[in-house]
Amino acid sequence: MTNRVWRWVGGSVALIIAVFVFLVPFAFMVLTAGKTQKEAAALKFSWPTHWAFFDNLVTVLSTRDFLIVRAFVNSTILTVGAVAIMVVLGAMVGYVLQRRRSRWNPLVNFFVLAGLIIPPAVVPTIWVLQGLGLFKTLVGLIAVHVAFGLSFCILLFRAFVAGIPRELDEAAIIDGAGPVKLFFRVVFPLLRSVIITVIVVQAVSVFNDFTFALYFLPGDDNATVQLTTYNYTSQAVSSWNLLFMNVLIITIPPLIMYVFFQRQIVAGMTSGAVKG
Amino acid sequence: MSTTIATPRRSRTAGAEPQAKPRRRMKSPYPSWFFLPAGVFYVILFLVPTVASFWFSLTRWTLFDVEFIGFENYIRFFQEPPLVQGFVNTFIYAFVTSGAKVVLGLLFGVLLSSQIIGRGFTRSVIFFPVLASTIGVGIMFKVLLDPFDGPVNAGLEAIGLQGPGWWTDPATALLTVAMVDIWKGVGLATLIFIAGMVAIPQEYYEAARVDGAGAGKTFRHITLPLLQPATATVVLLSLIGGLRSFDLIWAITKGGPGFTSDVLASVVYKQYQAGFFGLSTAGNVVLFVVVAAIIFPLSWWLNRKGDQS
């Protein structure tokens, strides 16, 4: 009997509190993004008397020569490029690291761990990028993201490869597959589910990244979406509706990912909770 | 699964398997050069800058030239009040956020793995700020927590409370940012705890019930010890994130008012902006040492504890 009461009362209380604490701030943002500038300036938590959602959207999109649209193009290239490289290279390392016992493994494992933990040395990284002629380029930023995202990918891939039977490798080898063919034609396709996990988790983190873009890709010409909010924070502080519309636009893509890939995102981000 | 920082070793089953010895003249089907492409990115953009940072931190480094000045940057770092404050704040911020995420995450985790209605939906609601843009969340809360016009203080006033100055008050600025960080990150901690709890075999609970253990005892002696890997993951992840935290602080306070909410990462950025590359890099090295000195021993200790239980 207490269980039934708990099931309903506890559940509803948890639900109400969660909605209040976690959703109401977003609701405020959405409502403010739909108001006219004058109404938004009051910063009230209220329903807009006049919906200016679409007008605000157009204004934000067209500000400064469609800066945010260009930023979206940049962020898309950045995310796709960085994640694609990370997945392929990370899978290669995770696979060999799991399959083969060599004296390099402890060193590689240590570096993987260090890559997760050690904060990037920013100014020396800029120095290196400058030496390579990649500072302030999208390619440079992609490379930085790859370097820092690899560790996480390698850990997930290594754990997953452990579950793929070795007999499969052996069968392929007997059939005459070389190492490259074995990996890309036999093993890589089997990694599908973990690849999806890695893709969504890393895509969200690359897309949401602010710090690396701030350091390694400054300037408006090739701004990424996270930097676009600067337009409204620095100058026109009074246009809350536009600022919030901008924030809304850049927040939506990861949330769409969440709707479709909830299971993979959760699996990827909570790995490590269970000891195997 | 044997994954992430909590369990850095190979899983036991994988290690015990007989390894195919590389046969003579026959190339291994698992070539070492598979490490190479990833290694290139890693070495050039992570290892080289990290090693170089030790050298550059000992120099006066501007856009034009580099001059060796010994430990002057470090001395300056621990003498100038703004920089010292940033150093101290880093610890406060990391420990407050990490501690709160463990406690609240565990609480929500227990609550949301019991049989209640709307469980899945509530979980999603708590988790989704994790995926929202940090900058976006920062801007949002900056407005919400505005001490004069912000809806939060307006709401508090409506029920007769005087809201604090939040991020404009030197005494509360850092904690306000920490609070937003907790708000954003607690969903991840919750889900990690839930994943850990799902992995605990139901038989243990049944056995405990048969033995007459109450809810409190069951939690204390079964759930908590068996959640050790999850706890370790939450502690390590949130400490690493907290010590390195930059974007949320930058979005809300930019280290202000004054430098009361500066942390190492924001000091590094400010010195970089001001053109003091050597000093900025010294800050980076300090951050490196702090993170390494806390995380490596802690991760070793937490995992060892996990092996015993």
Side-chain angles (χ1 to χ4, degrees), chain B residues 23-236:
Chain B
R23 269 151 272 168
R24 230 175 286 153
R25 251 182 289 153
M26 193 143 136
K27 273 195 191 154
S28 161
Y30 313 117
S32 291
W33 66 260
F34 268 38
F35 290 154
L36 209 66
V40 168
F41 281 96
Y42 186 88
V43 170
I44 293 178
L45 289 170
F46 179 75
L47 225 49
V48 170
T50 303
V51 174
S53 68
F54 287 94
W55 154 251
F56 281 123
S57 69
L58 302 174
T59 64
R60 181 176 293 123
W61 184 17
T62 61
L63 278 176
F64 310 104
D65 64 331
V66 180
E67 180 198 344
F68 183 79
I69 53 167
F71 286 95
E72 214 171 283
N73 285 327
Y74 291 101
I75 294 168
R76 227 176 122 189
F77 212 94
F78 289 103
Q79 272 178 346
E80 285 188 25
L83 306 183
V84 176
Q85 174 97 59
F87 180 75
V88 175
N89 281 349
T90 306
F91 290 93
I92 300 176
Y93 187 87
F95 287 119
V96 166
T97 52
S98 179
K101 281 177 194 171
V102 170
V103 173
L104 293 175
L106 187 57
L107 192 76
F108 295 158
V110 170
L111 189 68
L112 292 177
S113 45
S114 67
Q115 298 295 326
I116 54 172
I117 55 156
R119 193 167 77 162
F121 180 75
T122 310
R123 281 185 195 175
S124 308
V125 167
I126 291 185
F127 184 72
F128 98 112
V130 172
L131 299 177
S133 146
T134 312
I135 291 300
V137 167
I139 292 170
M140 187 172 83
F141 271 97
K142 189 171 178 172
V143 175
L144 283 170
L145 295 174
D146 192 290
F148 307 108
D149 316 315
V152 171
N153 274 9
L156 287 175
E157 210 167 297
I159 56 170
L161 288 172
Q162 168 77 46
W166 303 113
W167 51 268
T168 55
D169 183 346
T172 53
L174 186 71
L175 291 177
T176 302
V177 182
M179 193 183 77
V180 177
D181 190 322
I182 295 161
W183 179 89
K184 189 177 186 312
V186 75
L188 182 57
T190 305
L191 286 199
I192 291 175
F193 278 119
I194 291 176
M197 252 174 272
V198 169
I200 300 175
Q202 277 303 312
E203 290 84 42
Y204 292 176
Y205 290 109
E206 279 156 29
R209 202 171 332 130
V210 171
D211 289 347
K217 261 201 161 142
T218 314
F219 178 74
R220 169 83 187 72
H221 293 288
I222 295 179
T223 312
L224 218 47
L226 288 173
L227 273 181
Q228 158 72 23
T231 316
T233 309
V234 173
V235 169
L236 291 172

Side-chain angles (χ1 to χ4, degrees), chain A residues 7 15 21 23 95 98-101 111 117 120 122 148 166 169 208 215 226 230 240 262 272 275-276, chain B residues 1 3-4 14-15 17 19 30 32 42 46 117 122 124 128 131 133 143 183 233 244 250 269 284 307:
Chain A
R7 184 177 148 76
L15 190 72
V21 173
L23 284 190
Y95 161 72
Q98 199 283 325
R99 281 296 198 246
R100 179 176 174 179
R101 180 176 285 170
F111 280 149
I117 293 170
V122 277
F148 285 95
R166 255 164 208 282
D169 304 11
N208 277 344
Y215 277 117
Q226 303 301 327
Y230 262 21
W240 295 116
Q262 181 167 6
K275 213 163 169 162
Chain B
M1 272 208 277
T3 35
T4 60
E17 262 174 53
Q19 301 276 334
Y30 313 117
S32 291
Y42 186 88
F46 179 75
I117 55 156
T122 310
S124 308
F128 98 112
L131 299 177
S133 146
V143 175
W183 179 89
T233 309
R244 291 161 56 159
W250 200 249
Y269 183 68
N284 232 313
D307 284 343

Side-chain angles (χ1 to χ4, degrees), chain A residues 48-219:
Chain A
T49 47
H50 171 77
W51 275 98
F53 198 85
F54 192 71
D55 296 339
N56 291 341
L57 182 65
V58 171
T59 312
V60 168
L61 288 181
S62 56
T63 300
R64 305 204 18 217
D65 261 347
F66 295 93
L67 178 78
I68 199 169
V69 179
R70 279 181 289 136
F72 252 101
V73 173
N74 285 335
S75 275
T76 309
I77 297 172
L78 171 71
T79 309
V80 172
V83 173
I85 298 173
M86 259 188 258
V87 164
V88 175
L89 302 192
M92 286 166 73
V93 175
Y95 161 72
V96 174
L97 201 58
Q98 199 283 325
R99 281 296 198 246
R100 179 176 174 179
R101 180 176 285 170
S102 86
R103 60 207 153 91
W104 294 103
N105 282 6
L107 186 72
V108 176
N109 280 328
F110 173 77
F111 280 149
V112 168
L113 213 58
L116 279 179
I117 293 170
I118 303 299
V122 277
V123 190
T125 308
I126 292 175
W127 171 74
V128 169
L129 285 172
Q130 250 166 356
L132 297 170
L134 293 176
F135 183 49
K136 295 191 185 181
T137 65
L138 210 49
V139 176
L141 188 57
I142 290 177
V144 170
H145 272 292
V146 170
F148 285 95
L150 269 173
S151 290
F152 178 77
C153 304
I154 292 171
L155 283 175
L156 283 189
F157 281 122
R158 191 185 61 181
F160 193 86
V161 168
I164 297 177
R166 255 164 208 282
E167 286 75 22
L168 230 62
D169 304 11
E170 280 150 22
I173 294 166
I174 289 168
D175 285 350
V180 176
K181 214 170 181 182
L182 167 63
F183 176 70
F184 284 102
R185 301 289 288 276
V186 179
V187 177
F188 198 73
L190 292 172
L191 299 175
R192 216 183 82 114
S193 72
V194 73
I195 287 173
I196 295 174
T197 302
V198 170
I199 287 176
V200 287
V201 172
Q202 294 290 27
V204 168
S205 93
V206 173
F207 186 86
N208 277 344
D209 165 73
F210 170 74
T211 317
F212 286 169
L214 186 68
Y215 277 117
F216 307 125
L217 197 63

Side-chain angles (χ1 to χ4, degrees), chain B residues 1-21:
Chain B
M1 272 208 277
S2 78
T3 35
T4 60
I5 21 195
T7 51
R9 281 150 285 117
R10 310 162 51 115
S11 72
R12 209 160 292 146
T13 43
E17 262 174 53
Q19 301 276 334
K21 285 222 181 73

